[in-house]
Amino acid sequence: MGEWLRTHAHVVRRLQWLVVLVYAVLLVVPALLPLPGPTARAWNHLTVLAEFAFWGLWWPFVLVSMVLFGRLWCGVLCPEGTLTEWAARHGRGLGVPRWMRWGGWPFVAFVGTTVYGQMVSVYQYPKAALLVLGGSTVAALVVGYLYTRGKRAWCRYLCPVNGVFALLSKLAPMHYRVDDEAWRRSLQTGAEAAAHAGPAGTPQPIRIVRRAAAPAVDCAPMQPLRHMQGASGCHMCGRCSGHQGAIALQWRSPTHEVVHLGATEATHWQTWLIVFGLLGVAIGAFHWSASPWFVAIKQAIATWLVERDIYWPLADDAPWWLLTHYPDQNDVFTWLDGALLLAYIGASALVWGGVTLALLALAVRLAGPWSRQRLHHLAQALIPLAGLGVFLGLSAITLTLLRGEGVFVPWANAARLALLAAASAWSLWLAAAIVRHWQGQQPPPLAPARTLAALLPFALALAWVDSAWGWLFWWW
Ligand code: SF4
């Protein structure tokens, strides 16, 4: 498969531009059309079709593809990747600046787009989708035009979902494996003695055999090919397949990257993205519109304001690009709605993420001496559940859209329960493997009772995260 991708680059290139075309049509045309009426359906109104394509199919199933195939989407299909690389081929070719290398961008960009998307109701309105997705695409083009020569600096450093994709692809059962020994052999400069002997007493003639250097690989996300170990930064484009006779797409254990590489490669920004991003801000973003607590708090504050003749927070004159404003659809946010939305998502992030982090820290402490790196390592065991949460939240939009089309899925909640149980078991399995990995580094090994004690707070953290989805799908 890797070889096919490399040798059929022209086919991939055409496919990429086809995706760009479809993406542009689905993004731009609905924003120019009147909003669909209540009878509009995906098969008779482009706006409904685009809504379904972006939020019902594209987002949830791109997340699934990360876990199955790594970042194949990024390397082969993503329209922003194609556009930023194209712009970089024709742009200024500046070096990647220091500010862009800051490790916090994946967290900040994910949180920023998630929260802003909620403020403007990105899932419901095409103008908001054009602003959020189109804004990101324009930024990708500008960054591509300015920085690097034909590379994807945007994807590697700034894309709002780069961090999430990098985390999920750690679970993929395949990666481009680099065989260091084969690479070394391919670079070897050999010296062979000539087969025939020279005259006695004269030096043996030596024939130097130098292999021609393999042509450089055009790795768009700028991976350090020789030392690449995991799949998180690789876009699975196949361009390096067979390079130096040492790189090939291969199967691997889906635990390998989290358990073995995470011990040294897990960072605090990844922990923030898992704990406060995917298990905090994202939960708040999916919760607020369904939460009776949100409504109760809003009513209490509105009553309090009216009793004191303070009316400006109840005005709904914010522009649509700041807060949702569609009077014809009876959908307008007041300033109070906007402020509460931000406060609710922020509080959710602190509560869900804070408790999860505290339980992780307790698990690390029970497993042995405190180590911050171990905390970041163990946080990676939450990736399956964190990823599934975002999938469930997005697939709820899929189901709502399907309902609008007259398709009902009565088994949805049973499937959600099964998926939550499976993802929780997967996370627990990873945590157990991580703790066992620590034992190998720390003689004498932990007693089994101590291992269990370390896993107990982790299991509580899983139950705590599961309960967030319990509120959304069962208890509210
Ligand atoms: S390492 Fe680079 S060139 Fe190789 S498959 Fe990944 S993205 Fe493509």
Side-chain angles (χ1 to χ4, degrees):
M1 190 62 203
E3 279 299 294
W4 189 92
L5 283 172
R6 185 176 64 78
T7 51
H8 292 74
H10 57 288
V11 178
V12 172
R13 198 77 29 120
R14 274 185 211 141
L15 186 62
Q16 286 176 322
W17 284 107
L18 182 67
V19 176
V20 169
L21 186 70
V22 173
Y23 171 72
V25 169
L26 290 180
L27 193 61
V28 177
V29 177
L32 306 174
L33 298 174
L35 284 172
T39 55
R41 295 285 175 268
W43 38 268
N44 65 14
H45 201 294
L46 187 66
T47 304
V48 185
L49 178 69
E51 197 183 348
F52 190 72
F54 280 132
W55 311 118
L57 293 177
W58 178 31
W59 269 120
F61 290 99
V62 164
L63 292 181
V64 172
S65 81
M66 295 294 147
V67 179
L68 294 178
F69 312 114
R71 299 179 66 168
L72 189 68
W73 162 267
C74 300
V76 176
L77 295 171
C78 176
E80 279 190 8
T82 306
L83 287 168
T84 196
E85 191 177 334
W86 170 79
R89 285 189 200 288
H90 302 90
R92 305 263 309 272
L94 303 176
V96 176
R98 244 182 89 189
W99 63 263
M100 202 188 285
R101 296 177 193 267
W102 180 54
W105 284 124
F107 174 74
V108 171
F110 174 76
V111 169
T113 34
T114 303
V115 173
Y116 184 58
Q118 294 301 306
M119 289 165 64
V120 295
S121 296
V122 68
Y123 300 141
Q124 283 87 33
Y125 297 107
K127 274 200 299 187
L130 179 61
L131 185 63
V132 176
L133 297 180
S136 167
T137 305
V138 169
L141 277 165
V142 171
V143 167
Y145 179 77
L146 290 177
Y147 302 108
T148 77
R149 182 66 67 203
K151 304 295 181 200
R152 297 185 176 195
W154 168 261
C155 309
R156 173 158 177 177
Y157 296 107
L158 298 176
C159 167
V161 281
N162 168 41
V164 177
F165 289 175
L167 288 174
L168 292 179
S169 59
K170 288 178 189 291
L171 304 173
M174 61 181 76
H175 74 147
Y176 281 89
R177 179 167 172 269
V178 185
D179 181 339
D180 196 54
E181 180 56 26
W183 191 304
R184 202 179 54 75
R185 274 200 311 273
S186 80
L187 288 179
Q188 212 169 20
T189 299
E192 291 177 4
H196 62 279
T202 59
Q204 296 290 306
I206 299 293
R207 185 155 55 92
I208 303 296
V209 179
R210 194 183 293 274
R211 283 174 194 256
V217 174
D218 179 20
C219 174
M222 299 175 276
Q223 291 304 288
L225 294 186
R226 179 146 191 200
H227 304 290
M228 182 173 69
Q229 290 194 296
S232 341
C234 165
H235 286 195
M236 306 291 274
C237 67
R239 292 179 201 173
C240 64
S241 179
H243 183 61
Q244 302 285 10
I247 303 183
L249 183 60
Q250 290 194 353
W251 295 111
R252 65 171 184 176
S253 157
T255 61
H256 177 78
E257 189 160 346
V258 167
V259 175
H260 296 277
L261 304 186
T264 50
E265 292 190 355
T267 67
H268 70 283
W269 283 118
Q270 290 170 355
T271 303
W272 274 66
L273 184 57
I274 295 167
V275 173
F276 292 106
L278 295 169
L279 298 177
V281 168
I283 286 179
F286 288 123
H287 267 193
W288 74 270
S289 57
S291 168
W293 304 334
F294 181 88
V295 176
I297 295 168
K298 189 172 112 175
Q299 280 175 350
I301 295 178
T303 309
W304 187 89
L305 288 170
V306 169
E307 283 169 0
R308 281 155 190 78
D309 288 339
I310 306 171
Y311 290 104
W312 67 262
L314 304 177
D316 58 8
D317 54 350
W320 68 268
W321 46 265
L322 186 60
L323 290 175
T324 304
H325 189 85
Y326 301 91
D328 296 345
Q329 310 286 313
N330 281 328
D331 193 3
V332 284
F333 283 10
T334 63
W335 293 100
L336 175 64
D337 289 326
L340 264 182
L341 184 156
L342 293 178
Y344 192 93
I345 294 179
S348 300
L350 287 179
V351 171
W352 294 109
V355 171
T356 306
L357 191 65
L359 289 166
L360 279 181
L362 182 61
V364 170
R365 185 64 194 84
L366 288 175
W370 169 254
S371 149
R372 219 179 269 185
Q373 185 57 31
R374 283 189 170 186
L375 177 72
H376 303 319
H377 191 191
L378 191 62
Q380 306 227 328
L382 288 169
I383 295 173
L385 190 56
L388 179 77
V390 180
F391 174 78
L392 288 183
L394 289 171
S395 60
I397 301 168
T398 315
L399 294 181
T400 308
L401 294 170
L402 281 176
R403 249 199 317 277
E405 302 299 314
V407 179
F408 295 90
V409 185
W411 43 266
N413 264 3
R416 284 170 178 144
L417 191 59
L419 286 172
L420 280 170
S424 301
W426 190 354
S427 283
L428 191 60
W429 183 39
L430 284 174
I434 287 172
V435 173
R436 277 201 303 276
H437 181 78
W438 294 345
Q439 288 176 14
Q441 302 172 329
Q442 177 199 277
L446 292 181
R450 187 134 188 224
T451 307
L452 279 180
L455 289 178
L456 190 64
F458 187 85
L460 282 177
L462 296 177
W464 169 248
V465 173
D466 285 331
S467 74
W469 303 109
W471 289 111
L472 185 62
F473 296 125
W474 285 277
W475 305 325
W476 279 335

